[in-house]
Amino acid sequence: MEFMLLLAGEVVSISILVLVALFSIQRFGTAKVGFMFAPVLALWFFSLGSIGLYNMLRYDITVVRALNPAYIYYFFKNNGKSAWSALGGCVLCITGAEAMFADLGHFTVPSIQIAFTFVVFPCLLLAYMGQAAFLMKNPASYSSVFYKSVPESLFWPVFVIATLGAMIASQAMISATFSCVKQSMALGCFPRLKIIHTSKKFMGQIYIPVINWFLMIMCIIVVSIFKSTTDIANAYGIAEVGVMMVSTTLVTLVMLLIWQTNLFLAFCFLLVFGSVELIYMSSVLSKIFEGGWLPLAFATFFLSVMYTWNYGSVLKYRREVREKISMDLMLDLSSNLGTVRVPGIGLLYNELVQGIPSIFLQFLLSLPALHSTIVFVCIKYVPIPVVPQEERFLFRRVCPKDYHMFRCVARYGYKDSRKEDHRAFEQLLIESLEKFLRKEALEAALEDNFTDDLDSISVDTRNSDLTPGTAVEELRIPLMQGQNLEERGATTSREAASTVLPSSYMSLDDDPSLEYELSALREAMDSGFTYLLGHGDVRAKKDSFFFKKLMINYFYAFLRKNCRGGTANMKVPHTNIIQVGMTYMV
């Protein structure tokens, strides 16, 4: 007994060392070790099939009769409740093979179909029939039938291959976990975490440090507590049957909503597969106090985290959309925005693609002065490795020209580094903005070729309403005056522009408003950039019910405080950052 306990302790220690090594190499990416996956798995399945065929021929070839479905009926008839309880062990016969292909998103559909049909299924069938034939002659070896059925001369080679196969299956499960977490983050159902893409060719090969170390610690704890494969197998069985039931439900929805399959056929699919899975689930749930509670506890924990994050994020986003600053208010503030415009460029980061975020109003109320040029920057990630520099930014104008406000969508691929030097980022942004202004002026010139005299009169009348001597006169007059390029040659336009623009910025062949706006942009750039960031605090309204207050004020606030912040991806000196707090009452 002491020897068995000592042996079990050594197995646990070796397992922990293997786990630490396995999780430590994840940061190098699947591509670095993936070259050995195919040969090891091919050798593993070949050894399974050949050893199973050897045992069948040596011990009892009549086990092939087990392919007859009638034996299912005889099995349940003769064993009753014991047969139903044994279904939990039968689940592991198929889920062990599935684990090696858990990251199915990394393969094409034909490759999966060919591998399962012509390699995995035949080899597993031969392996299990070979073990059954061995048990017919050696019934006392049921506790470790796999290794005892292996010929003695092949024991250690098969042991090494089996260990490598288990590590590859674990690697597949880890990669699948990373993919699931990433997709949950993309859907807004999981807090923001750092994601490292380890391959330039395959988007799905990623590494999430926090999840990696969390999985390692949890695996070590589970191995240290359970110390046997029996309880771990019970936990694994419940998890896998749960995955099967979820998959069947989702496929049924796809059949109805996407494939537009006949309702009767979809119901038959759900009835056939769902009933079989329910029978297996009823069996594995009987092991809930023998290790089966573990996946249910983890599922409850992650469900709580995901629901809390999604619930709070949706409420916050709805509040931002409802409280967007209206264009009427911006026009009432005029181009000085109700404050003093000083030289410089302010980059205000927000998540809205359209409209002016409410956090901008907080800056107007909190700061005594605002920059002469404001750019609302929204970061978006696209499913390609690298976005070319010339296609990084998409611009459009916000408010009239004299406001000097722009909307910018910055696009990044999954291999693009966000921790680039801020000076390079600023230089590229200005170059892209200048291109946008020139393109806008060109498009305006083409449109002005079709305008009538009435439009010209209305523009000139609006320009004449500007009162000289105001604080924003220098910003407004040249920009508004050059909107009609047909009147560019008129004496009144040239005189009005020449009274404001320096002669060095004027050109008879260029649009005065464009030249002035470009010169104003360069002057603002020389004055420097300031990064305007909003720190939003989400709180439940006072009249909210208790559950909502608990979720938002404590759980969601804790997740927001500890998730990856917006400044984590910005390599900007702190002296260039201004943060303004805002409370969202949801």
Side-chain angles (χ1 to χ4, degrees):
M1 179 64 67
E2 293 180 356
F3 174 76
M4 294 299 295
L5 292 176
L6 179 62
L7 183 60
E10 292 178 351
V11 170
V12 170
S13 300
I14 294 174
S15 300
I16 292 176
L17 291 176
V18 171
L19 286 173
V20 172
L22 179 63
F23 284 100
S24 298
I25 64 174
Q26 294 302 314
R27 61 189 182 91
F28 298 107
T30 308
K32 300 296 189 299
V33 293
F35 67 92
M36 68 176 187
F37 285 8
V40 169
L41 289 180
L43 191 59
W44 166 245
F45 284 115
F46 173 76
S47 62
L48 281 180
S50 58
I51 292 174
L53 183 61
Y54 166 79
N55 288 328
M56 289 172 58
L57 296 176
R58 179 180 178 182
Y59 295 106
D60 192 353
I61 191 63
T62 60
V63 294
V64 296
R65 292 183 299 175
L67 297 176
N68 186 355
Y71 284 99
I72 299 177
Y73 168 76
Y74 297 139
F75 178 71
F76 280 95
K77 180 181 179 181
N78 296 331
N79 296 280
K81 185 177 179 181
S82 299
W84 169 78
S85 179
L87 289 177
C90 297
V91 171
L92 300 179
C93 296
I94 54 177
T95 56
E98 183 185 0
M100 295 186 180
F101 301 89
D103 50 350
L104 296 178
H106 297 170
F107 301 95
T108 61
V109 174
S111 65
I112 296 172
Q113 294 173 336
I114 294 173
F116 270 81
T117 304
F118 298 104
V119 179
V120 178
F121 180 71
C123 291
L124 289 179
L125 199 60
L126 290 174
Y128 288 125
M129 288 196 297
Q131 293 174 27
F134 177 81
L135 286 176
M136 296 291 289
K137 302 297 182 181
N138 304 279
S141 301
Y142 69 92
S143 59
S144 56
V145 61
F146 173 74
Y147 285 111
K148 289 184 178 180
S149 64
V150 176
E152 294 184 3
S153 59
L154 298 177
F155 176 82
W156 287 109
V158 171
F159 178 82
V160 173
I161 296 173
T163 304
L164 293 176
M167 294 181 66
I168 292 174
S170 302
Q171 170 66 49
M173 298 293 285
I174 296 170
S175 300
T177 303
F178 291 160
S179 299
C180 290
V181 171
K182 179 179 180 297
Q183 294 299 324
S184 299
M185 290 171 58
L187 295 173
C189 298
F190 206 87
R192 295 184 300 271
L193 300 175
K194 181 180 181 181
I195 298 178
I196 300 175
H197 291 266
T198 58
S199 173
K200 292 184 178 180
K201 295 181 179 179
F202 303 101
M203 183 180 178
Q205 295 187 7
I206 59 176
Y207 169 65
I208 305 178
V210 174
I211 298 298
N212 182 70
W213 302 124
F214 174 79
L215 289 176
M216 186 189 76
I217 294 173
M218 290 297 104
C219 287
I220 292 176
I221 292 175
V222 169
V223 171
S224 302
I225 294 177
F226 286 170
K227 296 182 179 180
S228 68
T229 58
T230 303
D231 291 341
I232 296 177
N234 292 333
Y236 189 66
I238 291 181
E240 285 296 334
V241 176
V243 170
M244 291 179 181
M245 295 182 67
V246 171
S247 300
T248 300
T249 304
L250 294 179
V251 170
T252 304
L253 293 177
V254 170
M255 293 174 66
L256 292 174
L257 302 179
I258 299 178
W259 297 345
Q260 302 293 323
T261 307
N262 183 275
L263 180 61
F264 176 76
L265 295 178
F267 176 77
C268 291
F269 170 82
L270 180 63
L271 181 64
V272 173
F273 287 91
S275 58
V276 173
E277 290 162 358
L278 282 175
I279 294 175
Y280 276 102
M281 177 59 79
S282 64
S283 175
V284 296
L285 284 178
S286 64
K287 310 292 184 182
I288 193 170
F289 296 107
E290 302 174 12
W293 58 268
L294 182 66
L296 299 180
F298 275 102
T300 303
F301 171 74
F302 279 102
L303 177 62
S304 301
V305 171
M306 295 172 68
Y307 178 79
T308 302
W309 182 261
N310 180 260
Y311 180 67
S313 299
V314 169
L315 291 180
K316 177 178 177 292
Y317 181 78
R318 288 177 179 174
R319 182 63 183 267
E320 287 183 342
V321 173
R322 286 198 307 266
E323 295 188 352
K324 287 192 300 185
I325 301 176
S326 65
M327 191 57 63
D328 293 337
L329 176 60
M330 296 298 297
L331 295 177
D332 291 340
L333 292 175
S334 73
S335 61
N336 62 357
L337 301 177
T339 181
V340 179
R341 301 293 292 270
V342 296
I345 298 178
L347 304 180
L348 196 153
Y349 283 75
N350 65 99
E351 299 179 359
L352 294 181
V353 179
Q354 294 181 346
I356 302 175
S358 56
I359 193 68
F360 182 62
L361 187 59
Q362 293 297 115
F363 281 100
L364 294 178
L365 297 175
S366 304
L367 301 180
L370 207 62
H371 306 82
S372 58
T373 300
I374 299 295
V375 181
F376 298 99
V377 182
C378 179
I379 304 296
K380 291 296 180 183
Y381 293 92
V382 293
I384 59 175
V386 178
V387 175
Q389 295 282 14
E390 61 274 10
E391 301 178 10
R392 173 81 68 210
F393 300 108
L394 295 177
F395 283 94
R396 70 170 176 266
R397 191 181 295 275
V398 179
C399 299
K401 278 189 175 182
D402 52 321
Y403 281 68
H404 287 217
M405 297 173 61
F406 304 91
R407 164 72 63 186
C408 171
V409 178
R411 300 179 296 179
Y412 285 86
Y414 57 83
K415 286 298 291 182
D416 283 322
S417 174
R418 280 286 292 112
K419 288 191 175 182
E420 56 192 341
D421 182 69
H422 69 98
R423 294 185 181 85
F425 172 84
E426 295 164 0
Q427 182 65 33
L428 180 62
L429 185 141
I430 291 299
E431 292 176 358
S432 301
L433 182 54
E434 289 181 351
K435 292 179 181 178
F436 165 76
L437 293 176
R438 296 183 185 278
K439 181 180 179 181
E440 182 189 49
L442 178 60
E443 292 176 351
L446 295 176
E447 292 178 359
D448 284 342
N449 290 331
F450 301 98
T451 57
D452 53 15
D453 294 337
L454 183 60
D455 294 332
S456 301
I457 295 173
S458 63
V459 171
D460 292 338
T461 303
R462 184 172 56 181
N463 290 336
S464 63
D465 290 337
L466 298 176
T467 303
T470 60
V472 294
E473 179 183 1
E474 186 176 352
L475 289 176
R476 299 183 64 182
I477 294 180
L479 300 181
M480 300 296 293
Q481 194 152 348
Q483 289 187 10
N484 184 9
L485 297 184
E486 259 186 7
E487 300 294 324
R488 186 177 58 188
T491 305
T492 56
S493 300
R494 292 188 178 183
E495 289 177 354
S498 61
T499 58
V500 180
L501 293 176
S503 59
S504 58
Y505 295 139
M506 292 294 296
S507 174
L508 295 177
D509 298 328
D510 293 330
D511 179 11
S513 66
L514 173 62
E515 288 301 314
Y516 180 82
E517 192 163 17
L518 291 176
S519 65
L521 181 62
R522 298 187 189 104
E523 180 182 357
M525 179 182 176
D526 294 336
S527 299
F529 287 76
T530 301
Y531 292 77
L532 308 176
L533 305 178
H535 178 71
D537 185 19
V538 183
R539 308 289 294 178
K541 295 179 180 179
K542 292 184 179 180
D543 57 347
S544 301
F545 51 90
F546 173 77
F547 178 75
K548 182 178 180 180
K549 290 182 178 180
L550 182 66
M551 292 280 289
I552 299 299
N553 296 348
Y554 296 97
F555 297 154
Y556 181 69
F558 174 81
L559 293 176
R560 278 183 59 86
K561 183 178 179 180
N562 292 277
C563 75
R564 187 173 178 83
T567 57
N569 289 326
M570 301 174 62
K571 192 176 181 181
V572 181
H574 292 291
T575 54
N576 291 25
I577 296 178
I578 297 179
Q579 277 191 319
V580 171
M582 180 177 178
T583 301
Y584 295 92
M585 301 302 296
V586 297

